[in-house]
Amino acid sequence: MGETRPVYAGLSHIEVVLFYGLAVVSTGIFCWGVARLVLKYRAGRREPLGRLVRRASSMVDVVFSHRWIRRRDPIAGLGHLLLFYGFTALFIGTTILGIQTDIARPIFHADFWSGRFYLGYKLALDIAGVLLLAGLTLMAFNRAVRRPRRLGYARPDRRAGEYDRSLYRVGDWVFLSTLFSLGVTGFLLEGFFLASTPQHFAAWSPVGWVLMKWFRAMGLTGSSAALAHHVTWWVHAVLALTFVASIPFTKAVHMIASPANVAVRDPAAGKRLSTIAADAAPEDVGYRNLDDLSWRHLLSLDACTKCGKCTEACPAAAAGLPLSPRDLILDLREAAETTLGAHAALGIRPDGWPEGLDVLGDPIRTASVWSCTQCMACVEICPVGIEHVPIINQFRRQLVERGEMDPMLQRTFETISSTGNSFGEPKRRRPKWTEGLQFAVKDARKEAAELLWFVGDYASFDPRNQRNSRALAEVLRRAGADFAMLYEAERTAGCDVRRAGEEGLYSSLAEANIEAISGCEFERIFSTDPHTFHTLKNEYPGFGGSWTVLHHSELLLELIEAGRLELRPLGYRVTYHDPCMLGRYNEVYDAPRRVLEAIGVELVEMPRNRDNSLCCGAGGGRIWMKEQRPEGSRRASEQRIDEATSLGRLDYFVVACPKDVTMYSDAIKTSGHDGEIELRELSELVLESIGAPTDSATALAGTKVAPD
Amino acid sequence: MSTADNFVGIVVHAGGNVKGLFGPRFLPGVVAYLARHGDGTSPEGTPEVKAVVCVKQVVAIGDEIAFTDDGKSVDGDYLDHAVNEWDVVAVEEALRMTEAASAAGEESEVVVVTVGGEENEEALRRCLAMGAQRAIRVEGQSGALLDPLTVARRLAPVVAREAADVVLCGVQSSDSVQAAVGTMLAELLELPRVAVVKEISLDRADGTATVMRELEGGLVDVVEVDLPALLTVQTGINEPRYATLRAIKQANLKEIEVVEPSQDAPGCYEILRIYAPPRGEGAEMLEGSPAEVAARIVELVKARLS
Amino acid sequence: MSGTIIVAEHLQGRLRDVTRELVTAAATLPGPVTVAIVAREPERIAAQAELEGVNEVVLVRAGGDEFENDVYQAALQALIAQRAPEVVLVGFTVGGMGYAPAVAARLSCGFASDVFGLERRDGRLVCRRAFYGAKVHGEVALPAGRTSVVMVRPTVFAPAADGASTSRSDMSIDPVTPRARHLRFVEAPQSDVDITTADFLLSIGRGIGDRENVERFVKLAEQMGATLSVSRPIVDAGWMPAARQVGQSGKTVKPKVYLALGISGAVQHLAGMKTSGAIIAVNTDPEAAIFDVAHYGAVADLFDVADELERLF
């Protein structure tokens, strides 16, 4: 017999039986817990799940590459990577030992746990143990010393004293120290065993070997080492079995739920919102009760590791509004656990938790639901694929159904419903902005054109944006582009109507627009409005309208690259703000940057750029709601201007979204940076670069006054 | 027979908080056609509380306008449609009354009625989506230009047939501002009425309602009116609920009863022509940036006040 | 059929201004002008109705001291039956709305409301009134050969001056049991401000958009030494008390300066302020009706202008 060691060395027969008994209990509790989780998820709305292979491979990729976990915090990412691989290797090692001990030997009388395999096994597990401990140390360092704000449990959506998250803190440290203790006791076991039973191949367990040397130097050998081994073995065993049993009930649940959630997540979450059945009863619209949540969304609640990256990225939280995406998920999770999960099965109900399944209002406050800009920053950064945005949107749908919304928002819906635009303008005024042009824009309803320009509300009706629309029209004319518009037939595309939760209005807008567009002859559609662009491109196909849709930055780049515009370098120093709907929603990051490069301006990036761009605060229909402005807070848009002006002297703050034009024109004035930086829309700069005279229209900014 | 002690009053005030509940019985009939309540009990299957609301789809024009060739109407292209603001408020008020009754376990119904063409059913759909149970359209030419007496005459037989406890109308329509249809309709139905109401408290024990009439200058006239009655409702009495487009689409599936109008007698006027209003001499426009405008305003104010 | 009957409107013993205006309106029509006063003791008000242009005051003894629509309806129907007037003029007021249309419906009269101009043409009475939310004016002809009931928009015609004493006659009607009974008046909640006596009103409307902006204009008014008044939507929304409301259902004001920010100028609002000394209006809509009555106007964003005003005061 080659190199190996007895498995239950020094244990009496009774002790081994006891161990197996405890193992059965532990596994039993674990299985019961997992079963409760499954039952909890099954309480949710059914939703089909396809493409299982692709889901599995994507999950493996995300989990093993740690691509998502490493983002925006490389130290914590490295820590988790180390402990993940260490833990996984140790888990595999334990499984191998289990197979050897409980299957291979008793059933097949085979012993593979010896010789070179055993030596390699020992070395690998020692390395894994070191990785685990190193990772845990890094995580502990992160938590205790670096202490990033996001790991604190302060809630931007509650007042101090209104909540107690101290148990979470305890849970985090218990979890960390349990794993740490498992690793340490594992190594101690090796050391004590080697100290009591000298082996010539001890060096294959380097850590154990070092410990053995140390113990021997302290005089710990023979039977005393064997006793220490005996005691430590039990400590390790009980700890391990307790840990296994606790997995479904503690933070450790993320070891199961997070990979599962990554696998079942909707890759288009938030980008393509779901539809509502035509015959749905009012109480079934959106989310109100916990069992309204889809089973996937219920599962995602348990996937949360409380890392706080979502809340850190949230523009509403940054502006002091009562929304914290993490805490919204955690509130739902606590409620689900209390009413549907293991807590419910055991009758554990923490104080203050409502008995019913209705969570809308308490703990999910309507103010939180309405604070969201649906900017996707939270979903985009979540390392475990939680879908905050569609969940919040579902709550909104229920609130809209009940009429519990900001009166301004309600008026806007009514206005859009009666006039087809959010400005309450008669439809005949939609093409009025073209009156300042030197030429007539083709009417797509009457003649064919290569490009169909879906202008959108802000670019059509808002005076400051009309200027940009005219700039783009002029640029297109100079480039010889063949384009047409829908004139009066165009209506609000509905992107924000949908995100504000008025799905019925959205679908009727989409249907009306699709009907209008379908009657025209063209090759591609473009829009300057990322919201419009997004919904036409990604959501209209679900309503029967599929076309190639471009953002004007992409179109401009195409024209520039085709050499159809004669550009002269402008030499400005600018920064560029990525619109949520263009960037995070559609990953168009480069086109506007390359246009800026082509017109010879120096781009200075803000610290938060591309996927980390900070929402201006207007999205998700927020632009139609009463502004909430907590005492002492700074608007997200103002913080963005602060960020831009901290880059040193810049000529322009460049945007590529009509709502950004409105939001940041205001923010430059109100942030105290008036005069330090000016706003330009991409088209305006391109127009300047081709040397065309700029629009003489007055720079009327501001909101439209509704008639009495 | 009297079961007055069974009655509980309902109080609906401007905020819409219901302080009391409908009792199980009906208001004493005042008008003969209210045979439904003749013996003080309601026949099987008919609701115990019923409100009829007359609504109108109004048109709005922007700043551009073109007239039809005969000069008697505005080109339809220049018009946007909406449910009359006052009528929406009236529907909301009716819904609040009947919801209070329903909460007390009583059958209740809100019926909305309009005069107009098929295209005006949109207004009825909106009301159905808000929660009205039934809708009736009296066939007829729609538009802002129908004279109020004709409208009232077309409504009258249908509203009479419905035999409601309360008939509500908006004070006026935003497009034609007649403020007359409700009062005319009450007269044709021989119903007691109060115009321009901003608060309603029904007291079914007494068979009356106490309402607040809003007079010019802010004085409020408190009036007691016998039920059943017709009330014309002023905006501000409540904040109407939102009708989601989804609910409106579902309402599209509901049957709308269409009633042929009775023979028309001549109306109370004939439109000779309509025209763009002559502009006054107009304001002197202050041009320039907001700062310049503000500076001129300050100048003007100081000159006038000194 | 001849002559014009005006139904006087009175409240708490005082004749209302609209009655004086109706007398002026009646002067444009042929035939004698009769003012009918319906009250328990009409003689107490009679002297106030002796206005220039009035030929006769009829005292209709009916009902109580205050308005009740069934009483007024019965009285007017009796007057029409007895006197067969060509035209009956009633104010387009909350009171008038309660009975004049009913009389027209009962007697199949010609009827027009919210009338701001009237003339006799080709044997018919032609009234001018607005349609489509005042964006359009129209002429309507009332049928010939029967009495026309016309409700006249307040504040359009100048109030008639006091006149010499006129002949009075009495008329009695069958007792009326009103189905809608006046119980009492409630004063609108008293406020410390009286917008009717202010020299300078800063008036805001729907254009301010949001309740939270109200505070800002309260401050601006204070800063400018103005009294803040509002249009109906602001009161309907509950953002300001009714005591601040200018317009037909609010207060009629005549300050030296009326600065209107974000008020587009509904007819009812204009009725309450158009006689102000200097009207300055700021609105983003160049077509806003307020510019028709304003002396000075600016097409601008009211918040931008408010920013600057805050700076200047």
Side-chain angles (χ1 to χ4, degrees):
Chain A
M1 190 170 129
E3 295 83 353
T4 187
R5 70 169 167 84
V7 175
Y8 296 114
L11 295 184
S12 67
H13 188 65
I14 302 236
E15 281 180 302
V16 172
V17 171
L18 180 63
F19 172 74
Y20 275 96
L22 288 176
V24 168
V25 171
S26 161
T27 313
I29 295 174
F30 173 84
C31 291
W32 181 79
V34 171
R36 284 307 316 179
L37 292 177
V38 172
L39 286 175
K40 178 168 76 173
Y41 307 150
R42 282 178 60 92
R45 272 189 201 160
R46 276 156 194 254
E47 205 178 302
L49 196 68
R51 303 199 275 193
L52 296 176
V53 174
R54 189 185 298 187
R55 286 177 179 281
S57 72
S58 159
M59 184 266 273
V60 167
D61 169 46
V62 167
V63 170
F64 285 90
S65 71
H66 265 51
R67 275 193 289 124
W68 292 0
I69 301 178
R70 295 201 315 254
R71 294 178 58 201
R72 285 183 217 160
D73 191 345
I75 295 183
L78 177 64
H80 195 276
L81 184 86
L82 293 174
L83 83 85
F84 169 77
Y85 275 102
F87 184 90
T88 306
L90 289 167
F91 177 73
I92 293 169
T94 309
T95 309
I96 288 171
L97 181 56
I99 290 169
Q100 164 68 61
T101 311
D102 300 321
I103 298 170
R105 183 177 302 152
I107 299 172
F108 301 107
H109 306 291
D111 278 310
F112 59 81
W113 200 51
S114 61
R116 290 171 67 179
F117 177 81
Y118 175 74
L119 297 179
Y121 175 95
K122 290 306 287 181
L123 181 62
L125 260 60
D126 253 36
I127 294 169
V130 170
L131 292 181
L132 174 69
L133 292 182
L136 287 166
T137 309
L138 209 50
M139 297 298 261
F141 169 77
N142 202 36
R143 233 168 237 290
V145 182
R146 273 180 79 229
R147 305 176 80 142
R149 252 172 67 99
R150 60 182 179 83
L151 290 182
Y153 285 113
R155 295 185 63 162
D157 59 335
R158 295 280 195 277
R159 279 191 301 277
E162 260 192 294
Y163 62 96
D164 181 12
R165 290 277 200 236
S166 53
L167 274 178
Y168 284 179
R169 205 176 296 278
V170 172
D172 292 337
W173 283 108
V174 166
F175 180 53
L176 224 155
S177 21
T178 305
L179 288 179
F180 200 87
S181 308
L182 276 173
V184 169
T185 50
F187 280 130
L188 288 176
L189 278 177
E190 271 188 338
F192 291 134
F193 181 75
L194 292 174
S196 65
T197 322
Q199 281 168 328
H200 66 276
F201 49 84
W204 284 94
S205 313
V207 179
W209 184 79
V210 169
L211 287 171
M212 178 258 299
K213 289 282 181 200
W214 189 49
F215 293 149
R216 285 192 169 174
M218 291 196 309
L220 196 67
T221 53
S223 60
S224 51
L227 178 65
H229 176 264
H230 194 166
V231 172
T232 311
W233 191 93
W234 272 112
V235 170
H236 186 80
V238 170
L239 211 53
L241 295 178
T242 310
F243 177 71
V244 168
S246 77
I247 288 174
F249 314 101
T250 63
K251 185 179 175 125
V253 75
H254 84 268
M255 293 162 48
I256 311 167
S258 302
N261 190 57
V262 171
V264 304
R265 78 186 193 279
D266 174 9
K271 299 178 183 174
R272 260 194 302 275
L273 296 172
S274 59
T275 50
I276 300 176
D279 56 349
E283 57 273 18
D284 293 336
V285 172
Y287 288 174
R288 168 174 67 168
N289 294 328
L290 282 165
D291 56 2
D292 293 333
L293 269 69
S294 73
W295 69 269
R296 292 193 313 103
H297 284 162
L298 282 173
L299 163 62
S300 77
L301 306 177
D302 287 329
C304 178
T305 61
K306 316 185 188 87
C307 77
K309 283 181 177 171
C310 50
T311 297
E312 186 183 45
C314 177
L321 301 183
L323 172 63
S324 167
R326 169 181 63 186
D327 293 292
L328 183 124
I329 295 299
L330 291 176
D331 279 343
L332 283 174
R333 166 176 168 164
E334 287 187 16
E337 193 50 28
T338 314
T339 49
L340 299 169
H343 284 79
L346 296 171
I348 302 166
R349 181 182 300 284
D351 283 347
W353 281 103
E355 294 207 9
L357 293 169
D358 189 348
V359 287
L360 187 49
D362 179 34
I364 305 305
R365 299 188 179 173
T366 54
S368 304
V369 172
W370 289 120
S371 291
C372 174
T373 63
Q374 303 268 294
C375 77
M376 286 285 278
C378 50
V379 175
E380 199 271 343
I381 193 60
C382 180
V384 296
I386 296 173
E387 301 167 4
H388 319 65
V389 166
I391 291 175
I392 291 172
N393 190 267
Q394 293 280 18
F395 282 120
R396 286 186 170 183
R397 287 178 174 181
Q398 175 60 218
L399 290 174
V400 167
E401 191 64 34
R402 296 187 204 169
E404 288 177 27
M405 66 187 118
D406 187 291
M408 255 173 81
L409 180 65
Q410 181 172 332
R411 271 205 299 277
T412 307
F413 287 156
E414 283 161 358
T415 300
I416 293 174
S417 160
S418 62
T419 65
N421 68 77
S422 58
F423 285 71
E425 295 278 3
K427 48 187 173 295
R428 297 191 71 88
R429 282 192 80 160
R430 190 175 274 281
K432 216 173 162 67
W433 64 270
T434 60
E435 284 173 12
L437 293 173
Q438 303 297 313
F439 60 98
V441 178
K442 273 186 175 180
D443 187 338
R445 296 169 298 178
K446 294 174 189 152
E447 41 187 333
E450 192 198 328
L451 294 160
L452 176 64
W453 185 353
F454 198 102
V455 187
D457 280 7
Y458 270 75
S460 297
F461 296 112
D462 176 61
R464 175 68 176 85
N465 278 299
Q466 288 176 340
R467 209 162 60 148
N468 307 331
S469 301
R470 284 191 288 268
L472 180 62
E474 181 60 23
V475 169
L476 295 180
R477 189 187 66 85
R478 292 286 193 100
D482 176 26
F483 65 100
M485 324 189 296
L486 289 170
Y487 281 78
E488 291 87 353
E490 183 184 309
R491 294 178 204 207
T492 308
C495 184
D496 298 273
V497 168
R498 186 170 220 197
R499 277 158 185 82
E502 214 323 11
E503 183 64 15
L505 180 54
Y506 172 74
S507 62
S508 58
L509 290 168
E511 283 155 17
N513 280 324
I514 287 168
E515 194 188 324
I517 295 170
S518 301
C520 305
E521 214 178 299
F522 61 92
E523 281 160 38
R524 298 184 297 172
I525 302 185
F526 75 96
S527 180
T528 62
D529 188 334
H531 298 247
T532 300
F533 157 74
H534 168 75
T535 201
L536 255 62
K537 180 182 163 109
N538 300 299
E539 295 185 307
Y540 275 30
F543 292 81
S546 293
W547 315 281
T548 306
V549 185
L550 298 174
H551 184 247
H552 74 301
S553 59
E554 297 173 302
L555 178 61
L556 287 171
L557 182 64
E558 205 179 287
L559 295 171
I560 289 168
E561 288 183 338
R564 285 164 73 173
L565 288 167
E566 240 173 79
L567 304 166
R568 80 183 162 81
L570 295 175
Y572 298 131
R573 202 161 175 267
V574 307
T575 191
Y576 169 73
H577 166 79
D578 288 279
C580 312
M581 289 278 167
L582 188 63
R584 272 190 294 274
Y585 271 81
N586 288 287
E587 288 163 25
V588 178
Y589 298 119
D590 293 326
R593 287 178 171 77
R594 286 169 63 192
V595 170
L596 289 174
E597 196 187 338
I599 58 174
V601 302
E602 182 196 347
L603 174 63
V604 185
E605 293 283 4
M606 285 183 275
R608 284 177 285 189
N609 60 57
R610 293 177 177 255
D611 52 53
N612 198 16
S613 178
L614 181 71
C615 174
C616 70
R622 284 253 22 124
I623 202 163
W624 301 322
M625 294 177 222
K626 184 170 73 182
E627 188 184 18
Q628 303 163 299
R629 210 160 170 215
E631 203 71 34
S633 68
R634 214 158 158 69
R635 295 182 176 106
S637 57
E638 293 168 348
Q639 295 177 26
R640 193 65 166 154
I641 298 298
D642 294 344
E643 191 175 345
T645 49
S646 70
L647 300 172
R649 182 70 216 175
L650 291 177
D651 295 300
Y652 296 122
F653 185 88
V654 180
V655 296
C657 166
K659 288 190 181 77
D660 282 336
V661 169
T662 302
M663 294 300 286
Y664 291 117
S665 300
D666 286 350
I668 288 173
K669 282 190 222 159
T670 59
S671 63
H673 295 294
D674 205 0
E676 290 173 47
I677 195 164
E678 267 187 72
L679 181 127
R680 283 288 182 277
E681 205 279 332
L682 193 64
S683 315
E684 289 182 287
L685 288 178
V686 175
L687 183 68
E688 193 181 336
S689 174
I690 61 174
T694 45
D695 195 326
S696 61
T698 48
L700 267 178
T703 49
K704 167 76 194 149
V705 175
D708 262 2
Chain B
M1 62 180 261
S2 166
T3 52
D5 49 350
N6 290 338
F7 288 129
V8 189
I10 175 172
V11 181
V12 182
H13 60 86
N17 290 332
V18 176
K19 287 181 179 160
L21 298 167
F22 272 103
R25 261 205 52 208
F26 273 97
L27 321 160
V30 171
V31 178
Y33 78 82
L34 278 173
R36 178 163 74 85
H37 311 315
D39 63 350
T41 59
S42 60
E44 203 62 27
T46 61
E48 298 178 70
V49 180
K50 184 166 177 180
V52 169
V53 188
C54 305
V55 301
K56 175 182 181 185
Q57 188 174 37
V58 292
V59 293
I61 350 186
D63 49 12
E64 282 175 279
I65 192 165
F67 295 98
T68 52
D69 293 339
D70 66 358
K72 293 189 176 185
S73 186
V74 169
D75 185 336
D77 273 6
Y78 291 80
L79 301 174
D80 281 322
H81 299 270
V83 189
N84 182 32
E85 193 184 338
W86 280 265
D87 300 343
V88 176
V89 167
V91 171
E92 176 67 33
E93 200 61 21
L95 288 171
R96 290 184 188 192
M97 285 178 191
T98 55
E99 279 166 0
S102 301
E106 290 187 78
E107 296 261 319
S108 66
E109 188 177 35
V110 173
V111 181
V112 288
V113 187
T114 196
V115 174
E118 208 176 328
E119 67 279 10
N120 300 111
E121 290 188 358
E122 220 178 298
L124 297 176
R125 306 274 177 210
R126 161 102 188 264
C127 301
L128 289 170
M130 283 175 76
Q133 280 80 16
R134 275 194 298 126
I136 305 169
R137 175 171 66 83
V138 181
E139 185 71 68
Q141 185 203 345
S142 58
L145 304 173
L146 218 53
D147 76 273
L149 187 55
T150 302
V151 176
R153 283 187 183 134
R154 288 187 185 173
L155 287 170
V158 176
V159 178
R161 186 195 76 190
E162 291 298 323
D165 301 293
V166 181
V167 180
L168 298 179
C169 298
V171 164
Q172 61 188 20
S173 57
S174 59
D175 55 357
S176 41
V177 198
Q178 307 275 8
V181 171
T183 300
M184 286 178 164
L185 178 62
E187 181 59 27
L188 297 177
L189 301 176
E190 296 183 7
L191 278 178
R193 68 196 172 254
V194 183
V196 197
V197 164
K198 55 173 251 178
E199 201 175 312
I200 304 170
S201 316
L202 293 186
D203 184 349
R204 295 175 64 209
D206 282 356
T208 62
T210 304
V211 301
M212 307 279 189
R213 267 171 87 231
E214 185 189 56
L215 303 185
E216 293 86 355
L219 199 63
V220 172
D221 182 15
V222 184
V223 176
E224 181 189 66
V225 59
D226 295 335
L227 292 173
L230 183 147
L231 308 172
T232 76
V233 177
Q234 178 64 300
T235 56
I237 190 170
N238 58 43
E239 193 63 54
R241 70 195 62 189
Y242 181 66
T244 62
L245 258 284
R246 196 189 62 76
I248 292 173
K249 280 181 189 166
Q250 286 186 344
N252 285 342
L253 305 173
K254 281 200 186 180
E255 183 99 8
I256 288 179
E257 184 188 346
V258 180
V259 175
E260 284 300 321
S262 47
Q263 280 292 311
D264 273 345
C268 62
Y269 62 62
E270 176 206 340
I271 293 180
L272 298 179
R273 66 176 184 120
I274 60 170
Y275 53 97
R279 307 293 302 209
E281 55 268 50
E284 179 191 320
M285 297 311 279
L286 312 176
E287 308 288 344
S289 68
E292 287 162 336
V293 167
R296 280 281 284 144
I297 291 175
V298 172
E299 221 171 86
L300 288 165
V301 170
K302 286 191 171 153
R304 298 287 174 145
L305 292 180
S306 58
Chain C
M1 276 202 344
S2 70
T4 304
I5 291 181
I6 291 165
V7 183
E9 186 159 330
H10 57 88
L11 180 73
Q12 296 177 318
R14 290 191 51 81
L15 194 73
R16 307 201 83 176
D17 279 352
V18 66
T19 308
R20 289 172 174 266
E21 295 165 20
L22 295 178
V23 171
T24 307
T28 63
L29 299 171
V33 176
T34 305
V35 175
I37 300 171
V38 183
R40 189 164 58 92
E41 297 169 314
E43 61 279 4
R44 291 176 55 189
I45 296 142
Q48 297 175 54
E50 292 177 338
L51 303 165
E52 211 170 277
V54 175
N55 304 94
E56 185 195 2
V57 174
V58 185
L59 307 177
V60 185
R61 205 168 303 278
D65 289 329
E66 300 298 345
F67 174 83
E68 283 172 333
N69 58 43
D70 287 331
V71 173
Y72 271 60
Q73 181 182 352
L76 180 52
Q77 285 172 186
L79 278 163
I80 292 172
Q82 195 185 78
R83 306 237 173 174
E86 283 271 0
V87 181
V88 172
L89 295 184
V90 178
F92 188 58
T93 60
V94 172
M97 291 170 195
Y99 72 96
V103 171
R106 167 66 39 198
L107 304 178
S108 293
C109 296
F111 174 86
S113 58
D114 197 22
V115 168
F116 49 76
L118 62 177
E119 64 182 284
R120 185 152 280 286
R121 194 193 296 165
D122 305 331
R124 291 198 291 185
L125 182 67
V126 176
C127 298
R128 280 194 295 283
R129 71 183 313 282
F131 290 95
Y132 298 105
K135 293 274 184 178
V136 170
H137 286 180
E139 285 181 345
V140 299
L142 277 54
R146 55 179 117 159
T147 300
S148 297
V149 176
V150 176
M151 299 183 73
V152 177
R153 182 188 289 182
T155 75
V156 172
F157 295 93
D162 293 338
S165 67
T166 51
S167 69
R168 293 186 189 181
S169 57
D170 282 293
M171 189 181 132
S172 57
I173 63 168
D174 294 337
V176 182
T177 310
R179 300 165 299 175
R181 298 164 289 276
H182 165 76
L183 296 181
R184 61 184 178 277
F185 289 121
V186 181
E187 286 290 337
Q190 281 301 312
S191 84
D192 45 345
V193 291
D194 183 0
I195 59 169
T196 61
T197 58
D199 275 344
F200 178 18
L201 286 176
L202 170 64
S203 208
I204 53 174
R206 197 173 270 180
I208 67 158
D210 184 4
R211 175 182 218 131
E212 284 174 8
N213 294 324
V214 172
E215 189 50 35
R216 169 178 186 185
F217 291 96
V218 171
K219 284 195 189 123
L220 179 61
E222 204 173 295
Q223 216 176 335
M224 297 177 75
T227 303
L228 188 74
S229 58
V230 302
S231 67
R232 179 169 187 104
I234 304 290
V235 174
D236 275 354
W239 297 352
M240 284 299 269
R244 301 261 186 181
Q245 186 190 329
V246 172
Q248 205 164 315
S249 55
K251 299 272 190 340
T252 302
V253 297
K254 200 175 173 177
K256 286 182 182 160
V257 180
Y258 189 85
L259 173 56
L261 301 180
I263 294 176
S264 64
V267 176
Q268 290 89 339
H269 183 82
L270 301 185
M273 46 63 76
K274 65 182 179 188
T275 56
S276 303
I279 299 169
I280 309 170
V282 177
N283 204 302
T284 46
D285 180 5
E287 305 292 329
I290 189 106
F291 291 130
D292 293 344
V293 302
H295 303 99
Y296 303 94
V299 178
D301 182 73
L302 71 101
F303 294 102
D304 290 347
V305 173
D307 283 342
E308 298 299 332
L309 288 173
E310 279 163 6
R311 226 166 278 179
L312 289 168
F313 272 94

